[in-house]
Every structure is written in C-alpha cells, then in structure tokens.
PDB file of all heavy atoms in Angstrom:
ATOM      1  N   LEU A  85     -14.972  -2.011   5.357  1.00 38.00           N
ATOM      2  CA  LEU A  85     -14.191  -3.250   5.403  1.00 38.00           C
ATOM      3  C   LEU A  85     -13.140  -3.268   4.300  1.00 38.00           C
ATOM      4  O   LEU A  85     -11.985  -3.643   4.527  1.00 38.00           O
ATOM      5  CB  LEU A  85     -15.123  -4.453   5.257  1.00 38.00           C
ATOM      6  CG  LEU A  85     -16.196  -4.620   6.355  1.00 38.00           C
ATOM      7  CD1 LEU A  85     -17.084  -5.805   6.023  1.00 38.00           C
ATOM      8  CD2 LEU A  85     -15.539  -4.791   7.719  1.00 38.00           C
ATOM      9  N   LEU A  86     -13.535  -2.832   3.088  1.00 40.00           N
ATOM     10  CA  LEU A  86     -12.593  -2.803   1.977  1.00 40.00           C
ATOM     11  C   LEU A  86     -11.499  -1.788   2.211  1.00 40.00           C
ATOM     12  O   LEU A  86     -10.333  -2.009   1.895  1.00 40.00           O
ATOM     13  CB  LEU A  86     -13.332  -2.507   0.667  1.00 40.00           C
ATOM     14  CG  LEU A  86     -14.267  -3.608   0.183  1.00 40.00           C
ATOM     15  CD1 LEU A  86     -15.038  -3.139  -1.047  1.00 40.00           C
ATOM     16  CD2 LEU A  86     -13.480  -4.867  -0.140  1.00 40.00           C
ATOM     17  N   ALA A  87     -11.879  -0.623   2.774  1.00 43.00           N
ATOM     18  CA  ALA A  87     -10.874   0.406   3.053  1.00 43.00           C
ATOM     19  C   ALA A  87      -9.854  -0.112   4.059  1.00 43.00           C
ATOM     20  O   ALA A  87      -8.643   0.098   3.921  1.00 43.00           O
ATOM     21  CB  ALA A  87     -11.560   1.663   3.583  1.00 43.00           C
ATOM     22  N   ALA A  88     -10.364  -0.807   5.093  1.00 43.00           N
ATOM     23  CA  ALA A  88      -9.453  -1.366   6.091  1.00 43.00           C
ATOM     24  C   ALA A  88      -8.555  -2.430   5.479  1.00 43.00           C
ATOM     25  O   ALA A  88      -7.355  -2.505   5.775  1.00 43.00           O
ATOM     26  CB  ALA A  88     -10.266  -1.965   7.248  1.00 43.00           C
ATOM     27  N   ALA A  89      -9.147  -3.255   4.608  1.00 41.00           N
ATOM     28  CA  ALA A  89      -8.351  -4.294   3.945  1.00 41.00           C
ATOM     29  C   ALA A  89      -7.274  -3.683   3.077  1.00 41.00           C
ATOM     30  O   ALA A  89      -6.145  -4.175   3.024  1.00 41.00           O
ATOM     31  CB  ALA A  89      -9.267  -5.183   3.099  1.00 41.00           C
ATOM     32  N   ALA A  90      -7.622  -2.590   2.390  1.00 44.00           N
ATOM     33  CA  ALA A  90      -6.636  -1.929   1.529  1.00 44.00           C
ATOM     34  C   ALA A  90      -5.493  -1.381   2.356  1.00 44.00           C
ATOM     35  O   ALA A  90      -4.314  -1.539   2.006  1.00 44.00           O
ATOM     36  CB  ALA A  90      -7.309  -0.797   0.741  1.00 44.00           C
ATOM     37  N   ALA A  91      -5.836  -0.721   3.467  1.00 45.00           N
ATOM     38  CA  ALA A  91      -4.788  -0.159   4.318  1.00 45.00           C
ATOM     39  C   ALA A  91      -3.890  -1.260   4.870  1.00 45.00           C
ATOM     40  O   ALA A  91      -2.661  -1.122   4.940  1.00 45.00           O
ATOM     41  CB  ALA A  91      -5.422   0.635   5.455  1.00 45.00           C
ATOM     42  N   LEU A  92      -4.512  -2.381   5.274  1.00 41.00           N
ATOM     43  CA  LEU A  92      -3.739  -3.508   5.809  1.00 41.00           C
ATOM     44  C   LEU A  92      -2.828  -4.088   4.752  1.00 41.00           C
ATOM     45  O   LEU A  92      -1.659  -4.384   4.998  1.00 41.00           O
ATOM     46  CB  LEU A  92      -4.702  -4.579   6.336  1.00 41.00           C
ATOM     47  CG  LEU A  92      -4.055  -5.812   6.974  1.00 41.00           C
ATOM     48  CD1 LEU A  92      -3.228  -5.395   8.175  1.00 41.00           C
ATOM     49  CD2 LEU A  92      -5.119  -6.826   7.366  1.00 41.00           C
ATOM     50  N   ALA A  93      -3.361  -4.236   3.505  1.00 42.00           N
ATOM     51  CA  ALA A  93      -2.561  -4.804   2.419  1.00 42.00           C
ATOM     52  C   ALA A  93      -1.355  -3.943   2.128  1.00 42.00           C
ATOM     53  O   ALA A  93      -0.254  -4.439   1.892  1.00 42.00           O
ATOM     54  CB  ALA A  93      -3.416  -4.953   1.166  1.00 42.00           C
ATOM     55  N   ILE A  94      -1.537  -2.617   2.150  1.00 46.00           N
ATOM     56  CA  ILE A  94      -0.432  -1.721   1.832  1.00 46.00           C
ATOM     57  C   ILE A  94       0.567  -1.672   2.977  1.00 46.00           C
ATOM     58  O   ILE A  94       1.770  -1.704   2.778  1.00 46.00           O
ATOM     59  CB  ILE A  94      -0.980  -0.319   1.491  1.00 46.00           C
ATOM     60  CG1 ILE A  94      -1.769  -0.404   0.172  1.00 46.00           C
ATOM     61  CG2 ILE A  94       0.125   0.703   1.368  1.00 46.00           C
ATOM     62  CD1 ILE A  94      -2.636   0.789  -0.094  1.00 46.00           C
ATOM     63  N   SER A  95       0.050  -1.633   4.230  1.00 44.00           N
ATOM     64  CA  SER A  95       0.971  -1.587   5.369  1.00 44.00           C
ATOM     65  C   SER A  95       1.758  -2.877   5.506  1.00 44.00           C
ATOM     66  O   SER A  95       2.831  -2.898   6.102  1.00 44.00           O
ATOM     67  CB  SER A  95       0.182  -1.317   6.661  1.00 44.00           C
ATOM     68  OG  SER A  95      -0.687  -2.401   6.946  1.00 44.00           O
ATOM     69  N   ALA A  96       1.225  -3.967   4.939  1.00 40.00           N
ATOM     70  CA  ALA A  96       1.898  -5.267   5.042  1.00 40.00           C
ATOM     71  C   ALA A  96       3.012  -5.437   4.017  1.00 40.00           C
ATOM     72  O   ALA A  96       3.672  -6.457   3.989  1.00 40.00           O
ATOM     73  CB  ALA A  96       0.872  -6.389   4.881  1.00 40.00           C
ATOM     74  N   LEU A  97       3.228  -4.431   3.165  1.00 41.00           N
ATOM     75  CA  LEU A  97       4.278  -4.552   2.171  1.00 41.00           C
ATOM     76  C   LEU A  97       5.627  -4.666   2.854  1.00 41.00           C
ATOM     77  O   LEU A  97       5.905  -3.978   3.840  1.00 41.00           O
ATOM     78  CB  LEU A  97       4.291  -3.316   1.253  1.00 41.00           C
ATOM     79  CG  LEU A  97       3.107  -3.163   0.309  1.00 41.00           C
ATOM     80  CD1 LEU A  97       3.114  -1.770  -0.300  1.00 41.00           C
ATOM     81  CD2 LEU A  97       3.178  -4.208  -0.787  1.00 41.00           C
ATOM     82  N   PRO A  98       6.526  -5.531   2.337  1.00 41.00           N
ATOM     83  CA  PRO A  98       7.847  -5.635   2.939  1.00 41.00           C
ATOM     84  C   PRO A  98       8.657  -4.370   2.656  1.00 41.00           C
ATOM     85  O   PRO A  98       8.655  -3.847   1.558  1.00 41.00           O
ATOM     86  CB  PRO A  98       8.457  -6.856   2.220  1.00 41.00           C
ATOM     87  CG  PRO A  98       7.720  -6.944   0.927  1.00 41.00           C
ATOM     88  CD  PRO A  98       6.352  -6.435   1.193  1.00 41.00           C
ATOM     89  N   HIS A  99       9.315  -3.829   3.648  1.00 44.00           N
ATOM     90  CA  HIS A  99      10.108  -2.611   3.492  1.00 44.00           C
ATOM     91  C   HIS A  99      11.553  -2.893   3.894  1.00 44.00           C
ATOM     92  O   HIS A  99      11.872  -2.991   5.067  1.00 44.00           O
ATOM     93  CB  HIS A  99       9.540  -1.477   4.354  1.00 44.00           C
ATOM     94  CG  HIS A  99       8.171  -1.052   3.924  1.00 44.00           C
ATOM     95  ND1 HIS A  99       7.940  -0.285   2.814  1.00 44.00           N
ATOM     96  CD2 HIS A  99       6.950  -1.306   4.468  1.00 44.00           C
ATOM     97  CE1 HIS A  99       6.645  -0.055   2.678  1.00 44.00           C
ATOM     98  NE2 HIS A  99       6.020  -0.685   3.660  1.00 44.00           N
ATOM     99  N   ALA A 100      12.404  -3.028   2.896  1.00 47.00           N
ATOM    100  CA  ALA A 100      13.828  -3.118   3.192  1.00 47.00           C
ATOM    101  C   ALA A 100      14.320  -1.743   3.593  1.00 47.00           C
ATOM    102  O   ALA A 100      13.678  -0.730   3.315  1.00 47.00           O
ATOM    103  CB  ALA A 100      14.573  -3.627   1.958  1.00 47.00           C
ATOM    104  N   ALA A 101      15.458  -1.683   4.254  1.00 49.00           N
ATOM    105  CA  ALA A 101      16.007  -0.401   4.675  1.00 49.00           C
ATOM    106  C   ALA A 101      16.203   0.489   3.453  1.00 49.00           C
ATOM    107  O   ALA A 101      16.858   0.104   2.494  1.00 49.00           O
ATOM    108  CB  ALA A 101      17.334  -0.631   5.395  1.00 49.00           C
ATOM    109  N   GLY A 102      15.621   1.694   3.500  1.00 73.00           N
ATOM    110  CA  GLY A 102      15.771   2.633   2.397  1.00 73.00           C
ATOM    111  C   GLY A 102      14.902   2.347   1.206  1.00 73.00           C
ATOM    112  O   GLY A 102      14.952   3.078   0.213  1.00 73.00           O
ATOM    113  N   ALA A 103      14.092   1.282   1.260  1.00 89.00           N
ATOM    114  CA  ALA A 103      13.242   0.949   0.120  1.00 89.00           C
ATOM    115  C   ALA A 103      12.119   1.966  -0.005  1.00 89.00           C
ATOM    116  O   ALA A 103      11.629   2.509   0.982  1.00 89.00           O
ATOM    117  CB  ALA A 103      12.664  -0.458   0.296  1.00 89.00           C
ATOM    118  N   LYS A 104      11.716   2.216  -1.251  1.00 95.00           N
ATOM    119  CA  LYS A 104      10.678   3.210  -1.521  1.00 95.00           C
ATOM    120  C   LYS A 104       9.434   2.532  -2.086  1.00 95.00           C
ATOM    121  O   LYS A 104       9.521   1.744  -3.024  1.00 95.00           O
ATOM    122  CB  LYS A 104      11.193   4.246  -2.518  1.00 95.00           C
ATOM    123  CG  LYS A 104      12.380   5.048  -2.019  1.00 95.00           C
ATOM    124  CD  LYS A 104      12.863   6.021  -3.097  1.00 95.00           C
ATOM    125  CE  LYS A 104      14.078   6.796  -2.632  1.00 95.00           C
ATOM    126  NZ  LYS A 104      14.549   7.734  -3.687  1.00 95.00           N
ATOM    127  N   THR A 105       8.285   2.872  -1.513  1.00 97.00           N
ATOM    128  CA  THR A 105       6.999   2.365  -1.984  1.00 97.00           C
ATOM    129  C   THR A 105       6.138   3.533  -2.439  1.00 97.00           C
ATOM    130  O   THR A 105       5.913   4.471  -1.672  1.00 97.00           O
ATOM    131  CB  THR A 105       6.273   1.587  -0.866  1.00 97.00           C
ATOM    132  OG1 THR A 105       7.033   0.439  -0.525  1.00 97.00           O
ATOM    133  CG2 THR A 105       4.887   1.151  -1.328  1.00 97.00           C
ATOM    134  N   LEU A 106       5.677   3.476  -3.666  1.00 97.00           N
ATOM    135  CA  LEU A 106       4.770   4.502  -4.182  1.00 97.00           C
ATOM    136  C   LEU A 106       3.383   3.890  -4.339  1.00 97.00           C
ATOM    137  O   LEU A 106       3.235   2.823  -4.931  1.00 97.00           O
ATOM    138  CB  LEU A 106       5.256   5.058  -5.520  1.00 97.00           C
ATOM    139  CG  LEU A 106       4.425   6.229  -6.066  1.00 97.00           C
ATOM    140  CD1 LEU A 106       5.331   7.307  -6.669  1.00 97.00           C
ATOM    141  CD2 LEU A 106       3.420   5.769  -7.112  1.00 97.00           C
ATOM    142  N   VAL A 107       2.372   4.570  -3.797  1.00 97.00           N
ATOM    143  CA  VAL A 107       1.000   4.085  -3.855  1.00 97.00           C
ATOM    144  C   VAL A 107       0.191   5.019  -4.762  1.00 97.00           C
ATOM    145  O   VAL A 107       0.171   6.233  -4.553  1.00 97.00           O
ATOM    146  CB  VAL A 107       0.361   4.012  -2.459  1.00 97.00           C
ATOM    147  CG1 VAL A 107      -1.074   3.489  -2.556  1.00 97.00           C
ATOM    148  CG2 VAL A 107       1.185   3.119  -1.538  1.00 97.00           C
ATOM    149  N   TYR A 108      -0.460   4.425  -5.745  1.00 96.00           N
ATOM    150  CA  TYR A 108      -1.329   5.158  -6.668  1.00 96.00           C
ATOM    151  C   TYR A 108      -2.770   4.806  -6.357  1.00 96.00           C
ATOM    152  O   TYR A 108      -3.158   3.633  -6.400  1.00 96.00           O
ATOM    153  CB  TYR A 108      -0.970   4.778  -8.112  1.00 96.00           C
ATOM    154  CG  TYR A 108      -1.983   5.190  -9.142  1.00 96.00           C
ATOM    155  CD1 TYR A 108      -2.352   6.520  -9.301  1.00 96.00           C
ATOM    156  CD2 TYR A 108      -2.579   4.231  -9.967  1.00 96.00           C
ATOM    157  CE1 TYR A 108      -3.291   6.881 -10.251  1.00 96.00           C
ATOM    158  CE2 TYR A 108      -3.512   4.596 -10.925  1.00 96.00           C
ATOM    159  CZ  TYR A 108      -3.870   5.919 -11.063  1.00 96.00           C
ATOM    160  OH  TYR A 108      -4.796   6.291 -12.004  1.00 96.00           O
ATOM    161  N   CYS A 109      -3.588   5.797  -6.024  1.00 96.00           N
ATOM    162  CA  CYS A 109      -5.009   5.558  -5.778  1.00 96.00           C
ATOM    163  C   CYS A 109      -5.733   5.542  -7.116  1.00 96.00           C
ATOM    164  O   CYS A 109      -5.996   6.604  -7.706  1.00 96.00           O
ATOM    165  CB  CYS A 109      -5.584   6.646  -4.867  1.00 96.00           C
ATOM    166  SG  CYS A 109      -5.345   6.318  -3.114  1.00 96.00           S
ATOM    167  N   SER A 110      -6.047   4.351  -7.591  1.00 92.00           N
ATOM    168  CA  SER A 110      -6.709   4.195  -8.890  1.00 92.00           C
ATOM    169  C   SER A 110      -8.215   4.158  -8.699  1.00 92.00           C
ATOM    170  O   SER A 110      -8.711   3.995  -7.587  1.00 92.00           O
ATOM    171  CB  SER A 110      -6.224   2.925  -9.586  1.00 92.00           C
ATOM    172  OG  SER A 110      -6.692   1.783  -8.907  1.00 92.00           O
ATOM    173  N   GLU A 111      -8.956   4.289  -9.825  1.00 87.00           N
ATOM    174  CA  GLU A 111     -10.388   4.469  -9.729  1.00 87.00           C
ATOM    175  C   GLU A 111     -11.198   3.189  -9.831  1.00 87.00           C
ATOM    176  O   GLU A 111     -12.413   3.204  -9.634  1.00 87.00           O
ATOM    177  CB  GLU A 111     -10.870   5.459 -10.803  1.00 87.00           C
ATOM    178  CG  GLU A 111     -10.876   4.920 -12.215  1.00 87.00           C
ATOM    179  CD  GLU A 111      -9.540   4.965 -12.928  1.00 87.00           C
ATOM    180  OE1 GLU A 111      -8.488   5.007 -12.241  1.00 87.00           O
ATOM    181  OE2 GLU A 111      -9.538   4.922 -14.176  1.00 87.00           O
TER     182      GLU A 111
END
C-alpha cells in the first residue's frame, strides 16, 4: 500500500513542458 502510495504521489507531480523531476530513494 505504501509503495503504491509513493508511486501515486510521485506520478501526481505537476510537469510543465520540459520540466525536470529528480527522485531520490532515501532510506
């Protein structure tokens, strides 16, 4: 459930044209 929530939270980030999103998997 948490993994799915994390994926949903990240996919829900707003993406402007050409915008760059960097994701860091922290511990």
